[in-house]
């Protein structure tokens, strides 16, 4: 109660005090409009001076709006291409390699250790096809271009360990008649794959050593990059906001210029309006394309994000293929190539429109020579 009683007089004074910013804001727009329409307290601006200023101001605003719109859309489109062509396929192949290696180890356990006639059963084609699939998947990841230098080095280490793992399983198969050698070979290979027999100090972070640990770490890094790619970047947000502001200023100045032409020259400039159409249309089209591609990035990221939880069982290949199809379909539905082609057409068209605005105002100002001050003779 005491606090409320102390605050009440302050609130009362604030209510009685008229806000000083409101009158300034109320007078801001009329002042800007008078400046845009070439009006002064004494009347109107000189025609020649006004047209010469506007034939520079309008193209500059148009070019700034076009450049910022193209930069914002280019950032989104570049992220779309990297996510679609590099990161998403790399994550699919990493998940395929990881599950294939685990399934291969399961086949080795069944054929060499858990068979009813141990020592007499060979590995079979299922194990070899799983190991081949893992090797090919790792090769596709290396060629995808999604990894930086450190990750590429790590992938080469993993590929070498996979070869050593396959050699150790093959050695166990060759010595399958000896229970000791067969079991030792499979156990050593499993330790290379899973690292189960490594001593880990509780509460300490351990570097990934086994094959699956290294693969999961690569997957986590690429999933984080995928998340960053699908998020709004500072460049996109800053460029889009600045482009929208420049486009609004261009439209505002264009409207004021048209009013000036109608008042002073009794002229409704169709040429100026037609030239301004591509300038105003370009940011709108690029915004539509950018929002569509960003939504597709989110759907693709969500689809491949489910790969991290895919476990090695009989449904793993089907789930991985389903996630890959969903991510690819999300990108196709956004038509990024079509929007890129659209940007390649509308941005130059907007530049031509900006030039046409300047040329049109230059032609309107030619009959009105600039008033130059007379020089006084000494």
């Amino acid at each position: 109660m005491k606090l409320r009683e102390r605050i009440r007089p302050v609130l009362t004074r604030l209510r009685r005090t008229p806000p000083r910013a409101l009158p300034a804001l109320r007078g801001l727009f009329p002042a800007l409009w008078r400046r845009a329409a070439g009006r002064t307290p004494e009347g109107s601006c000189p025609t020649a001076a006004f047209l010469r200023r506007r034939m520079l101001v309008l193209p500059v605003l148009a070019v700034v709006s076009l450049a910022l719109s193209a930069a914002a859309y280019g950032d989104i489109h570049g992220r779309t291409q990297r996510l679609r062509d590099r990161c998403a396929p790399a994550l699919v192949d990493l998940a395929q390699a990881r599950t294939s290696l685990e399934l291969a180890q399961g086949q080795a356990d069944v054929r060499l250790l858990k068979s009813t006639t141990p020592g007499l059963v060979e590995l079979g084609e299922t194990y070899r096809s799983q190991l081949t699939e893992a090797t090919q998947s790792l090769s596709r990841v290396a060629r995808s271009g999604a990894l930086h230098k450190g990750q590429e080095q790590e992938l080469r280490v993993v590929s070498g360990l996979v070869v050593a793992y396959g050699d150790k399983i093959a050695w166990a198969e060759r010595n399958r008649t000896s229970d000791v050698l067969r079991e030792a070979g499979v156990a050593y290979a499993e330790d290379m794959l899973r690292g189960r027999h490594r001593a880990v100090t509780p509460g300490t972070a351990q570097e990934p050593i086994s094959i699956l640990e290294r693969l999961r770490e690569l997957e986590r890094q690429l999933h984080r990059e995928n998340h960053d790619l699908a998020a709004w970047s500072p460049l996109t947000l800053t460029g889009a906001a600045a482009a929208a502001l420049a486009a609004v200023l261009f439209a505002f100045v264009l409207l004021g210029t048209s009013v000036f032409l109608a008042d002073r020259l009794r002229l409704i400039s169709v040429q100026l309006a037609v030239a301004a159409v591509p300038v105003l249309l370009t940011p709108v089209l690029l915004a539509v394309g950018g929002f569509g591609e960003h939504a597709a990035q989110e759907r693709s990221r969500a689809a491949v994000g489910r790969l991290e939880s895919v476990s090695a069982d009989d449904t793993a290949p089907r789930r991985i293929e389903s996630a890959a199809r969903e991510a690819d379909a999300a990108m196709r539905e956004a038509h990024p190539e079509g929007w890129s082609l659209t940007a390649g057409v509308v941005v130059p068209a907007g530049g031509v429109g900006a030039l046409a605005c300047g040329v049109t105002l230059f032609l309107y100002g030619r009959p009105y020579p600039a008033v130059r001050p007379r020089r006084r003779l000494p």
Side-chain angles (χ1 to χ4, degrees):
M1 292 297 294
K2 293 182 179 180
L3 181 61
R4 186 180 300 176
E5 291 176 358
R6 292 178 182 177
I7 294 177
R8 188 177 298 169
V10 178
L11 296 176
T12 303
R13 286 195 299 269
L14 288 175
R15 292 193 191 100
R16 291 177 181 176
T17 303
R20 299 179 181 178
L22 290 179
L25 291 176
R26 291 194 190 101
L28 180 61
F29 180 78
L32 291 176
W33 173 247
R34 286 194 299 269
R35 188 174 183 84
R39 297 170 183 172
T40 62
E42 295 80 15
S44 298
C45 294
T47 302
F50 179 85
L51 292 179
R52 279 170 174 75
R53 284 198 302 269
R54 290 304 162 87
M55 78 180 197
L56 297 176
V57 171
L58 276 178
V60 167
L61 287 175
V63 170
V64 169
S65 175
L66 294 172
L68 292 172
S69 300
Y73 173 76
D75 182 59
I76 292 181
H77 186 68
R79 290 165 174 264
T80 298
Q81 288 182 317
R82 178 165 178 79
L83 196 151
R84 179 194 61 185
D85 300 335
R86 298 183 181 183
C87 288
L91 280 170
V92 171
D93 288 324
L94 282 175
Q96 184 66 56
R98 172 174 54 81
T99 55
S100 296
L101 286 171
E102 292 190 79
L103 291 173
Q105 179 63 35
Q107 282 293 313
D109 290 341
V110 169
R111 307 287 289 191
L112 298 179
L113 299 181
K114 301 177 182 178
S115 173
T116 56
T117 55
L120 299 178
V121 179
E122 296 182 352
L123 282 173
E125 290 300 322
T126 303
Y127 164 82
R128 293 186 176 86
S129 64
Q130 294 290 354
L131 189 61
T132 301
E133 178 63 34
T135 304
Q136 293 176 349
S137 297
L138 292 177
S139 298
R140 289 194 295 269
V141 174
R143 296 194 302 268
S144 66
L147 307 180
H148 56 70
K149 290 185 178 180
Q151 293 170 335
E152 289 176 356
Q153 179 65 31
E154 182 69 12
L155 187 65
R156 284 193 289 269
V157 172
V158 171
S159 299
L161 289 174
V162 169
V163 173
Y165 165 82
D167 292 341
K168 186 56 66 175
I169 293 292
W171 181 85
E173 183 190 24
R174 288 194 301 270
N175 296 276
R176 62 182 178 273
T177 55
S178 171
D179 293 341
V180 175
L181 295 179
R182 185 181 70 251
E183 292 174 1
V186 174
Y188 187 83
E190 184 179 13
D191 189 55
M192 290 179 61
L193 184 67
R194 296 193 172 102
R196 289 181 174 177
H197 302 94
R198 177 163 57 103
V200 178
T201 305
T204 60
Q206 298 292 327
E207 290 292 330
I209 294 179
S210 68
I211 296 173
L212 293 181
E213 287 174 346
R214 293 172 183 270
L215 285 177
R216 286 192 177 278
E217 179 60 27
L218 282 176
E219 281 190 273
R220 280 192 290 269
Q221 293 175 9
L222 280 183
H223 278 297
R224 286 196 296 267
E225 184 176 352
N226 253 20
H227 186 274
D228 294 339
L229 287 174
W232 289 107
S233 71
L235 175 60
T236 300
L237 294 177
T238 304
L245 178 61
V248 170
L249 285 177
F250 174 80
F252 187 74
V253 173
L254 176 70
L255 183 60
T257 305
S258 300
V259 170
F260 180 89
L261 293 176
D263 290 344
R264 293 297 298 271
L265 304 184
R266 300 295 186 267
L267 174 66
I268 297 177
S269 179
V270 179
Q271 295 91 335
L272 191 62
V274 171
V277 167
V279 178
L280 296 174
L281 193 61
T282 297
V284 176
L285 289 176
L286 295 186
V288 173
F291 276 110
E293 290 193 29
H294 180 262
Q297 292 170 10
E298 286 286 349
R299 293 197 300 272
S300 176
R301 181 196 61 78
V304 297
R306 293 194 293 270
L307 294 173
E308 200 169 8
S309 61
V310 173
S311 56
D313 52 27
D314 294 337
T315 64
R318 185 169 64 253
R319 293 173 63 186
I320 293 173
E321 184 180 359
S322 175
R325 284 201 307 267
E326 185 177 347
D328 187 61
M331 287 300 182
R332 280 201 316 272
E333 291 171 2
H335 306 291
E337 300 304 331
W339 283 113
S340 178
L341 180 62
T342 301
V345 173
V346 297
V347 173
V352 173
L355 179 62
C357 288
V359 172
T360 300
L361 293 176
F362 171 76
L363 294 177
Y364 288 158
R366 286 186 65 186
Y368 304 93
V371 179
R372 299 178 180 176
R374 295 180 181 179
R375 294 182 180 180
R376 294 183 179 181
L377 296 177

